[in-house]
Amino acid sequence: MDNREQLRRITELTEQIAGLPKGYLSKKTIGGKVYYYHQWSENGVKQSRYLHDSEIAPLADKIEKRKELQAQLRILKSQKSRRNEATGMKCTFMHKRTPVAELELDDVTGFIQKIGSVYAPEHLPIGIPVRNEIADRAAFNDWWRDRSIPASRSGVREALESLGVADTKMLLVRCYGLSLSDQYWICPEGAELRWEDINFFQNDFSEDIGDVLFGERKKKKDALNFSSPDSTSDGNLKKRWKIIDGKRCLIKGGSNPFRQQPFNEVIASGIMERLGIPHVSYTVIWSKDAPYSVCEDFVTENTELIPAWRLLQAKKQKNSTSRYRHLLECCELLGIGNITPFLDRMLVLDYIIANEDRHFNNFGALRNAETLEWLGMAPIYDSGSSLGYDKMPGQMRSEKDVICKPFKNHHAEQLKLVTDFDWIDFDRLSDVDELISSVLSCEEAADYIDEGRIHAITESVQRRIGHLQELAMTQTPRQLDTTEDDVREEVAADYAPKMEL
């Protein structure tokens, strides 16, 4: 089996394993009767689910199948590792102008095979521990993998075939790992590269990768330029970077059937503007009869975004500590201030717009990339998966199918984490129905969004604002009990995060 076939099989097995349940079956005898449970870990937190009799055998088969595939995968990876032992690409991991560590990357997959000397451990990505001057390779690979385009993004398989690349992590290698979200990059051994000459904040970049990701295939005779920040953009929706009037702008699509996410970004921006919440502003453009949201990069050549998921890696989470409390503790440890009032505002916004996808990788903090000084929480961005973006009007009105992230599964429960509502000026929200109607009623949107849908959206938003107002009239701030995650903490009087936009 050659390297390409071996990689194809590894990818295939990895995808099959991801589709099978993790964990194991356990049984408990209570009152002489045997009960079966499915137990597994998710993001370091133990989970358990009671099983009905009809579920036990099928689930056991799937778990056993997962173990078999994992064994096959270990063998394949071991074979590949031995085969490619001497074919790694040596490079220096850089943080802007600071050499951080020596790395060796697999020539086929782009994975980090080896970590050599660590020169500046304080400049390593948060959550990569160093013990006895040795950096944790598994943690480093987790960070590196998160940096690449997710394999689940629409059209990625076709794009990789067109580009002649086996894995999205190899796109990272081709663009030196450069991004428009932070200042990390890799400098290959022997290459005389300078940050000033290659970073995407100050230099032009190629649109070739973005074109391919958008299905605009290049002619085979045309050589592709891989120097693009599109190789380090996350998320599952179609997106690309462009330089518009000298500004670095992210263009992002929507999903079928309503293509509503771009419009939702504009609506969410309008609501945050009314409430005085620091945010990224969005507009909508059209290309080939499809809507796309556009926003300017809020990260500069002097700052960088650290997603909340990385902040959570600053310390180990205790089993008795909620994810909300753990984030507060991590931010306190790192020296990031004003996290509680920021979360209050984010959770209130997400409740109003019924956001279903506020995961830990689409909010975070800003810091200076050279001094490592924390500048505060980043302005709120990426709010498109909201306002019933994939639901029918009846589902929006019932709200039965509305889920949420990142701390709870239901907005009503997550709203209990808000410590203070006094900052909300409800009079400023009096024209939100007009805002929603004006954004969704543009002539081009008629092919995707009709009047009935617009009415259902405005109705549900007004209902949530009304409930929020009732809650604000009765709620008083309380001191946070570290053993409970639904009680509240006293907030700082002012929310004025220091940020460079």
Side-chain angles (χ1 to χ4, degrees):
M1 187 185 297
D2 61 21
N3 270 345
R4 189 168 292 275
E5 173 60 23
Q6 195 173 46
L7 179 59
R8 185 198 65 77
R9 180 58 180 154
I10 287 175
T11 302
E12 186 180 84
L13 282 172
T14 301
E15 290 176 350
Q16 290 176 6
I17 290 168
L20 292 169
K22 298 185 290 185
Y24 59 93
L25 299 186
S26 67
K27 62 180 181 179
K28 296 181 181 179
T29 303
I30 304 174
K33 187 175 181 180
V34 177
Y35 296 89
Y36 284 86
Y37 295 84
H38 176 205
Q39 296 190 317
W40 73 100
S41 292
E42 193 170 310
N43 295 327
V45 180
K46 291 183 178 179
Q47 307 284 341
S48 181
R49 185 176 71 86
Y50 169 72
L51 296 173
H52 296 287
D53 290 345
S54 60
E55 297 179 282
I56 297 170
L59 181 61
D61 290 341
K62 289 179 181 178
I63 290 175
E64 188 60 31
K65 180 66 174 176
R66 181 186 176 95
K67 291 178 180 178
E68 292 175 5
L69 295 179
Q70 285 175 322
Q72 293 178 33
L73 183 62
R74 282 194 294 272
I75 293 171
L76 272 175
K77 284 185 174 181
S78 175
Q79 293 172 346
K80 185 184 71 63
S81 177
R82 289 195 297 270
R83 180 179 296 173
N84 293 325
E85 236 172 9
T87 64
M89 184 188 88
K90 295 182 179 180
C91 59
T92 302
F93 182 69
M94 304 286 295
H95 196 198
K96 203 169 182 178
R97 301 178 186 86
T98 303
V100 181
E102 295 301 324
L103 302 181
E104 189 171 312
L105 304 178
D106 186 290
D107 282 342
V108 178
T109 66
F111 269 108
I112 299 169
Q113 289 186 149
K114 184 180 178 181
I115 303 173
S117 300
V118 177
Y119 308 120
E122 69 278 8
H123 280 270
L124 283 169
I126 292 173
I128 299 178
V130 178
R131 299 182 181 88
N132 299 322
E133 300 183 352
I134 299 174
D136 188 302
R137 187 165 66 94
F140 215 142
N141 266 312
D142 284 343
W143 177 86
W144 187 243
R145 181 175 57 250
D146 286 344
R147 194 173 186 77
S148 62
I149 300 172
S152 55
R153 183 183 296 178
S154 174
V156 161
R157 282 180 178 272
E158 295 83 355
L160 291 178
E161 289 178 9
S162 176
L163 295 167
V165 174
D167 192 284
T168 56
K169 284 175 288 301
M170 285 309 299
L171 292 176
L172 282 178
V173 176
R174 297 284 188 94
C175 74
Y176 306 117
L178 288 162
S179 167
L180 278 170
S181 296
D182 61 32
Q183 322 296 334
Y184 286 111
W185 60 291
I186 55 172
C187 181
E189 186 178 50
E192 296 182 1
L193 299 178
R194 297 193 317 154
W195 167 257
E196 290 77 10
D197 299 328
I198 64 169
N199 77 82
F200 296 138
F201 296 98
Q202 298 167 304
N203 300 285
D204 291 345
F205 49 81
S206 168
E207 295 189 359
D208 288 355
I209 303 301
D211 287 343
V212 173
L213 290 171
F214 268 52
E216 301 170 14
R217 294 178 179 270
K218 292 282 185 180
K219 295 180 181 179
K220 289 188 176 181
K221 64 178 182 179
D222 295 335
L224 286 166
N225 184 338
F226 286 82
S227 180
S228 166
D230 293 318
S231 298
T232 53
S233 61
D234 62 0
N236 293 326
L237 287 176
K238 185 183 290 186
K239 65 176 67 172
R240 68 180 302 175
W241 287 96
K242 268 184 173 289
I243 299 176
I244 303 175
D245 297 330
K247 299 175 180 178
R248 276 68 183 154
C249 296
L250 183 64
I251 299 173
K252 187 176 179 181
S255 60
N256 290 324
F258 306 113
R259 303 286 183 96
Q260 194 178 308
Q261 289 97 326
F263 304 107
N264 291 348
E265 297 284 14
V266 177
I267 293 168
S269 297
I271 292 173
M272 286 187 279
E273 183 178 357
R274 285 159 173 76
L275 292 177
I277 300 174
H279 65 282
V280 174
S281 295
Y282 288 81
T283 57
V284 172
I285 63 170
W286 291 82
S287 178
K288 297 180 180 179
D289 298 322
Y292 293 86
S293 66
V294 182
C295 69
E296 185 180 347
D297 190 9
F298 59 86
V299 177
T300 72
E301 68 270 18
N302 299 314
T303 66
E304 60 185 355
L305 172 68
I306 310 298
W309 178 245
R310 299 313 308 173
L311 302 179
L312 288 168
Q313 312 310 311
K315 60 180 287 188
K316 186 176 180 180
Q317 182 176 348
K318 298 176 182 177
N319 291 336
S320 59
T321 303
S322 70
R323 188 54 63 88
Y324 177 85
R325 164 51 63 182
H326 182 61
L327 178 59
L328 295 182
E329 291 178 355
C330 287
C331 288
E332 183 180 0
L333 176 66
L334 293 168
I336 304 171
N338 290 310
I339 177 67
T340 303
F342 167 83
L343 292 176
D344 282 355
R345 285 151 178 77
M346 185 181 77
L347 296 180
V348 164
L349 167 75
D350 286 348
Y351 175 74
I352 292 173
I353 64 175
N355 192 351
E356 299 189 44
D357 198 33
R358 182 71 68 196
H359 52 78
F360 289 108
N361 274 321
N362 66 8
F363 72 97
L366 289 173
R367 73 174 179 181
N368 184 294
E370 293 182 288
T371 67
L372 305 184
E373 175 194 4
W374 291 102
L375 306 175
M377 298 304 290
I380 294 176
Y381 59 96
D382 199 0
S383 304
S385 296
S386 55
L387 299 172
Y389 72 101
D390 62 349
K391 294 174 175 56
M392 300 302 292
Q395 293 174 292
M396 292 185 215
R397 292 188 181 96
S398 70
E399 297 192 359
K400 289 181 180 178
D401 300 319
V402 177
I403 58 173
C404 77
K405 300 173 183 175
F407 304 113
K408 300 288 184 180
N409 294 324
H410 302 286
H411 280 289
E413 290 299 310
Q414 192 157 264
L415 201 59
K416 293 177 183 177
L417 296 172
V418 176
T419 67
D420 179 36
F421 295 98
D422 288 347
W423 55 273
I424 304 175
D425 184 348
F426 286 98
D427 290 339
R428 299 269 298 172
L429 298 177
S430 60
D431 67 340
V432 165
D433 54 345
E434 296 172 18
L435 166 69
I436 295 171
S437 295
S438 65
V439 172
L440 298 180
S441 298
C442 67
E443 185 177 345
E444 299 95 330
D447 289 339
Y448 301 103
I449 302 170
D450 59 23
E451 286 298 324
R453 185 170 188 80
I454 295 173
H455 180 70
I457 293 170
T458 55
E459 185 182 64
S460 60
V461 169
Q462 289 289 10
R463 184 171 59 251
R464 286 192 291 273
I465 290 175
H467 175 70
L468 190 64
Q469 193 162 13
E470 292 174 5
L471 188 62
M473 293 173 65
T474 59
Q475 188 263 357
T476 56
R478 293 186 291 169
Q479 186 66 28
L480 184 67
D481 183 339
T482 58
T483 63
E484 300 177 20
D485 54 300
D486 281 345
V487 290
R488 269 103 42 205
E489 162 179 53
E490 208 59 48
V491 240
D494 298 315
Y495 172 45
K498 180 182 177 185
M499 58 179 63
E500 189 171 335
L501 299 177

